[in-house]
Amino acid sequence: MPSNGKIALFIDGSNLHATSKALGFDIDYRRLLGEFQSRGALLRAFYYTTVVEDQEYSSVRPLIDWLDYNGYTVVTKLTKEFVDAITGRRKVKGSMDVDLAVNAMELAEHVDQIVLFSGDGNFRSLVEALQRRGVRVTVVSTLSTQPAMVADDLRRQADIFIDLAELKPKVGRDPANRPGSREMRQLPQFLSRVAIDRGDQVE
């Protein structure tokens, strides 16, 4: 019997992408699934991302498509791109935080542990709410960058904190080996499919 019981992964796509880039490596999402399957009974692996509205081609589309066919439940949202009137910088308006939090609360009664891949301090209250329901929460981010990618209050609230840098040997990927259609595999039986998406960096 798996030692950590029933597990669900909740991946804040843009946050994890920024964290892995800051650490100098890409995530191999097939290896990531395998790593957490070995830690317990993996029920779901959710991936959240935003897609810019009216953008003909998104650089994250191949990844989104690959994840959707390879065991992840992908949750996407269209965002609007605009230019900040004060700074003149391009910005993207949109966040997946509420979607992730609602899904996590809905699943809480069915799992023993939730693994949150994000360093966003906005999730501290979600972690606390899940803990009140008897769910152990592991946060995956990093303290190995300057500044750290994880908010201190989120790290302190978590039952377990895993530094993504320590997972690199287990979930890192050769940058030349990017997901593509040739890697499409049959959906693992332990997961159901839903459409999802991982977005461009949201400021």
Side-chain angles (χ1 to χ4, degrees):
M1 184 70 183
S3 59
N4 289 325
K6 297 175 182 177
I7 301 174
L9 309 183
F10 284 81
I11 300 171
D12 176 348
S14 61
N15 193 284
L16 178 58
H17 176 74
T19 302
S20 66
K21 288 299 183 188
L23 290 171
F25 73 96
D26 289 331
I27 301 291
D28 182 326
Y29 287 94
R30 187 192 308 284
R31 294 182 71 196
L32 187 149
L33 269 190
E35 172 62 22
F36 285 90
Q37 281 177 292
S38 73
R39 298 184 181 211
L42 184 58
L43 297 187
R44 291 286 187 277
F46 292 93
Y47 186 94
Y48 297 82
T49 187
T50 54
V51 175
V52 179
E53 193 175 44
D54 299 328
Q55 194 174 66
E56 287 187 12
Y57 176 79
S58 170
S59 60
V60 304
R61 180 58 61 186
L63 174 62
I64 291 168
D65 291 342
W66 186 91
L67 292 170
D68 193 31
Y69 281 97
N70 286 273
Y72 287 84
T73 298
V74 179
V75 183
T76 60
K77 177 186 287 185
L78 288 176
T79 63
K80 294 189 180 295
E81 191 175 30
F82 68 99
V83 176
D84 187 289
I86 298 173
T87 65
R89 292 180 62 194
R90 181 187 72 84
K91 291 192 174 182
V92 177
K93 184 177 183 180
S95 170
M96 298 298 295
D97 292 4
V98 173
D99 304 73
L100 188 155
V102 169
N103 291 160
M105 292 301 291
E106 288 175 341
L107 201 62
E109 65 182 280
H110 303 291
V111 297
D112 302 297
Q113 180 182 181
I114 280 178
V115 182
L116 174 64
F117 290 79
S118 182
D120 190 338
N122 291 334
F123 288 124
R124 191 207 63 79
S125 57
L126 168 63
V127 172
E128 186 178 28
L130 290 167
Q131 290 167 333
R132 286 198 300 266
R133 284 159 177 75
V135 178
R136 294 191 313 279
V137 182
T138 295
V139 167
V140 180
S141 187
T142 190
L143 292 167
S144 302
T145 55
Q146 292 296 333
M149 297 291 286
V150 63
D152 188 61
D153 54 350
L154 176 65
R155 181 177 62 85
R156 291 175 182 274
Q157 186 67 48
D159 294 294
I160 300 170
F161 173 73
I162 298 176
D163 198 304
L164 186 63
E166 297 172 8
L167 286 178
K168 181 178 178 179
K170 297 181 178 180
V171 304
R173 176 166 56 81
D174 180 347
N177 186 23
R178 296 191 176 280
S181 58
R182 62 185 176 80
E183 287 188 274
M184 295 299 185
R185 297 289 183 271
Q186 200 168 15
L187 195 69
Q189 294 180 355
F190 67 93
L191 287 174
S192 65
R193 253 179 75 209
V194 174
I196 149 190
D197 142 324
R198 191 223 104 212
D200 294 350
Q201 194 71 17
V202 177
E203 294 190 9

